[in-house]
């Protein structure tokens, strides 16, 4: 049963990844969106985080907490059978857009930039959001204190990694 749920999650993430990859390539190739401007915006955010700008730290904290709250809200909604695949496809779209943006701007080196930009913090975010979704899909009962403690610890550890480790890794590239 758990294996099928894992395949279900990966399937919808893959659908979003493929759609975003195709769509972003078309939009960048047509010139509708200037990928260089978009890349500079992303690069500026990374540089501000690497310098320890408190606005960036609070933005990361607020975005990650909001994302976790949205995952929980979608899991609790009556429409979770539809909302969860849409959420997973959206995650895949975000990854696909980022991948295409990096490779358009940096070429093959962009693939390395993409991998470094999502490592290691996304492992912890994905784990936290994944156990929220698995709990929702499987209907397992959990001890609230321990369950939410684990989710909060994973999110906070991911935030710390994103602010400190990821910023340092990216600073070596630029």
């Amino acid at each position: 049963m758990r294996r099928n749920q894992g395949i279900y999650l990966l399937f919808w993430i893959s659908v979003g990844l493929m759609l975003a990859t195709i769509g972003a390539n078309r939009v960048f190739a047509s010139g509708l969106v200037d990928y260089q401007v978009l890349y500079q915006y992303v690069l500026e955010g990374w540089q501000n985080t690497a310098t320890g700008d408190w606005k960036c730290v609070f933005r990361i904290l607020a975005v990650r907490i909001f994302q976790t709250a949205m995952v929980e809200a979608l899991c609790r909604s009556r429409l979770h059978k539809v909302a969860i695949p849409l959420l997973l496809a959206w995650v895949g779209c975000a990854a696909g857009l980022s991948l295409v943006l990096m490779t358009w701007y940096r070429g093959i080196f962009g693939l390395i930039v993409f991998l470094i930009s999502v490592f290691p913090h996304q492992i912890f975010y994905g784990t936290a959001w994944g156990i929220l979704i698995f709990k929702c899909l499987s209907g397992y009962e959990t001890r609230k204190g321990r369950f939410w403690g684990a989710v909060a610890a994973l999110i906070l550890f991911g935030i710390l990694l994103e602010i400190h480790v990821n910023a340092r890794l990216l600073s070596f590239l630029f």
Side-chain angles (χ1 to χ4, degrees):
M1 179 70 161
R2 287 186 185 170
R3 181 176 171 211
N4 291 340
Q5 288 174 347
I7 292 171
Y8 176 79
L9 297 175
L10 290 174
F11 171 77
W12 286 109
I13 291 171
S14 299
V15 166
L17 184 71
M18 287 187 298
L19 289 175
T21 302
I22 293 167
N25 274 311
R26 302 259 315 153
V27 169
F28 292 160
S30 70
L32 188 61
V33 173
D34 188 1
Y35 67 91
Q36 294 173 341
V37 172
L38 189 58
Y39 182 82
Q40 291 304 320
Y41 176 75
V42 171
L43 182 62
E44 183 181 310
W46 286 339
Q47 290 171 340
N48 289 342
T49 303
T51 60
D53 184 8
W54 284 101
K55 289 187 289 187
C56 291
V57 171
F58 287 127
R59 186 186 67 216
I60 289 169
L61 184 66
V63 165
R64 298 310 181 189
I65 290 171
F66 175 74
Q67 288 173 331
T68 305
M70 287 303 299
V71 170
E72 177 61 18
L74 289 174
C75 286
R76 288 181 181 259
S77 75
R78 291 183 181 188
L79 300 173
H80 72 273
K81 298 262 188 213
V82 175
I84 290 175
L86 289 175
L87 174 71
L88 294 171
W90 182 257
V91 168
C93 284
L97 177 63
S98 180
L99 175 64
V100 171
L101 178 63
M102 300 302 157
T103 54
W104 266 78
Y105 192 81
R106 307 284 305 229
I108 195 71
F109 185 67
L111 182 60
I112 296 167
V113 173
F114 170 75
L115 292 174
I116 290 174
S117 71
V118 298
F119 181 79
H121 62 280
Q122 290 294 347
I123 294 170
F124 292 94
Y125 297 145
T127 304
W129 299 329
I131 62 174
L132 285 173
I133 293 170
F134 274 129
K135 179 184 164 258
C136 173
L137 293 176
S138 64
Y140 288 132
E141 290 296 319
T142 60
R143 292 184 181 174
K144 291 190 187 246
R146 288 185 183 178
F147 177 76
W148 284 108
V151 170
L154 287 167
I155 294 297
L156 289 175
F157 198 61
I159 290 169
L160 289 173
L161 288 173
E162 185 172 7
I163 292 169
H164 296 293
V165 175
N166 188 265
R168 298 291 177 248
L169 289 174
L170 289 170
S171 69
F172 289 129
L173 297 175
F174 305 105

